[in-house]
Amino acid sequence: MSQGSYLQLTTGELGKRAKNAVDMLADCTVCAQYCRVNRLKGELGLCQGGRNAVVSSYGPHFGEEAPLVGSRGSGTIFFAFCNLKCVFCQNCDISQYGYGDEVSARELAEMMLELQEGGCHNINLVSPSHFAPQFLEALVVAVDMGLTIPIVYNTGGYDTPATLDLLEGIIDIYMPDIKFADDDAGRKYSGAAGYYTVTRQAVKKMHNQVGDLVIDERGIATRGLLVRHLVMPGNLARTEKIMEFIAEEISKDTFVNVMDQYYPAYKAFDHPELNKRISRKEYSAAVQAAREAGLTRLNGG
């Protein structure tokens, strides 16, 4: 079984990273929303996350990309709330309404250990951007309890350089979802000012930390970058621009999942341009755009 890169850091270094991250909560700059509320004193920003993490559910998941799932599943931990406000969110009960339970660092650590003991190939943190400090606190405890498997950071991409610096050498697999190649669309549909500008910088930093996706002889991903992109109706996301960015500024060997599962959800019905499914033609065009950009490691086409 592959081991997480965080095992190469001393307990003292992990503790220092966790403390520095928690300190950011006092004037919250944990994600790119930069709300600057004092979450340590109960103030809430856009994400609605407080001092402790809130977990909706956790367990082995077999619906992720094949290199993450393997034969025993990806050990997913679904965090409640989100630092994005996507009007088309298909998990709005979790991300927007905050369905879940508040957990301590030890409780979160115990979840990670339970997933490892169940045979999961990795710990998959789903929507972790607003709870990165709480994850780091829990990791210190989990390592002391025997955690060894790789960590996957499954994010909407609206992450800050400072937080990613604290995660360097800890996260084994970054899995950002690049939603839009347009800042205006990111603001309108995801409530994220400068979304594409921020996400481009974040994905570059992620790749600099972990490189292209490495898959072992079992077909299991052990380290690297895996990019997701959800095809939107009417090409609102400007897919071709995203694929060109990945190929030209990240790597043509980037593992990319071009996803076809868009359907109207949450508040998408209030936007006529979002209130429809994508066509087979639109999805084929998105895959073709990836190929024309020079990308060959495609999961979905």
Side-chain angles (χ1 to χ4, degrees):
M1 183 174 288
S2 299
Q3 292 195 329
S5 58
Y6 53 86
L7 294 175
Q8 299 176 31
L9 300 178
T10 65
T11 301
E13 176 62 19
L14 283 176
K16 179 181 177 182
R17 301 272 191 101
K19 181 184 183 304
N20 289 342
V22 169
D23 287 346
M24 294 169 70
L25 295 171
D27 182 35
C28 194
T29 55
V30 170
C31 85
Q33 295 289 358
Y34 293 111
C35 292
R36 294 193 175 277
V37 297
N38 190 340
R39 291 170 62 182
L40 297 178
K41 292 187 176 180
E43 296 177 7
L44 302 178
L46 179 139
C47 76
Q48 295 295 294
R51 170 62 183 87
N52 293 325
V54 180
V55 173
S56 172
S57 64
Y58 70 101
H61 191 29
F62 294 88
E64 303 285 67
E65 288 79 355
L68 297 182
V69 169
S71 60
R72 297 183 177 180
S74 180
T76 49
I77 297 176
F78 287 86
F79 290 106
F81 300 116
C82 186
N83 69 328
L84 296 174
K85 295 295 180 184
C86 299
V87 298
F88 51 89
C89 184
Q90 297 171 359
N91 293 308
C92 59
D93 56 332
I94 300 172
S95 68
Q96 307 307 313
Y97 301 132
Y99 174 80
D101 297 307
E102 189 172 306
V103 297
S104 66
R106 183 171 185 85
E107 288 170 325
L108 183 53
E110 289 172 346
M111 291 177 186
M112 290 190 262
L113 265 295
E114 185 178 331
L115 292 169
Q116 176 174 279
E117 290 165 3
C120 292
H121 298 288
N122 47 63
I123 300 299
N124 187 341
L125 308 173
V126 183
S127 298
S129 299
H130 55 305
F131 287 132
Q134 292 84 348
F135 155 68
L136 288 171
E137 278 187 309
L139 182 63
V140 175
V141 179
V143 169
D144 188 54
M145 295 170 66
L147 186 72
T148 63
I149 59 177
I151 305 291
V152 180
Y153 198 76
N154 186 342
T155 171
Y158 203 54
D159 298 286
T160 69
T163 296
L164 292 175
D165 283 343
L166 291 174
L167 296 172
E168 184 168 7
I170 292 173
I171 301 302
D172 299 281
I173 299 170
Y174 280 107
M175 187 161 61
D177 175 7
I178 305 181
K179 299 178 182 296
F180 300 100
D182 181 86
D183 282 348
D184 290 337
R187 181 183 297 105
K188 180 177 181 180
Y189 299 119
S190 292
Y195 174 81
Y196 187 51
T197 300
V198 169
T199 302
R200 285 177 64 191
Q201 294 173 343
V203 175
K204 285 181 180 180
K205 183 174 279 289
M206 292 172 188
H207 185 258
N208 286 340
Q209 288 184 14
V210 298
D212 294 328
L213 194 68
V214 176
I215 299 176
D216 68 16
E217 66 282 354
R218 303 168 299 160
I220 305 299
T222 59
R223 182 176 176 83
L225 177 72
L226 191 164
V227 176
R228 286 175 164 175
H229 172 65
L230 180 65
V231 180
M232 303 287 287
N235 195 24
L236 289 173
R238 297 187 66 188
T239 297
E240 68 286 346
K241 187 174 178 180
I242 292 172
M243 298 304 155
E244 289 168 2
F245 158 68
I246 296 170
E248 296 172 8
E249 299 187 46
I250 303 298
S251 167
K252 285 186 170 61
D253 289 325
T254 302
F255 190 107
V256 180
N257 186 1
V258 182
M259 302 186 295
D260 66 352
Q261 54 262 58
Y262 178 85
Y263 62 84
Y266 190 39
K267 297 180 179 180
F269 307 101
D270 298 331
H271 301 267
E273 66 276 22
L274 291 175
N275 192 17
K276 53 188 151 184
R277 290 180 177 268
I278 65 167
S279 67
R280 181 168 300 191
K281 183 178 180 181
E282 285 176 316
Y283 180 68
S284 296
V287 173
Q288 184 61 28
R291 289 175 175 157
E292 289 179 357
L295 299 169
T296 58
R297 300 178 73 188
L298 302 181
N299 187 90

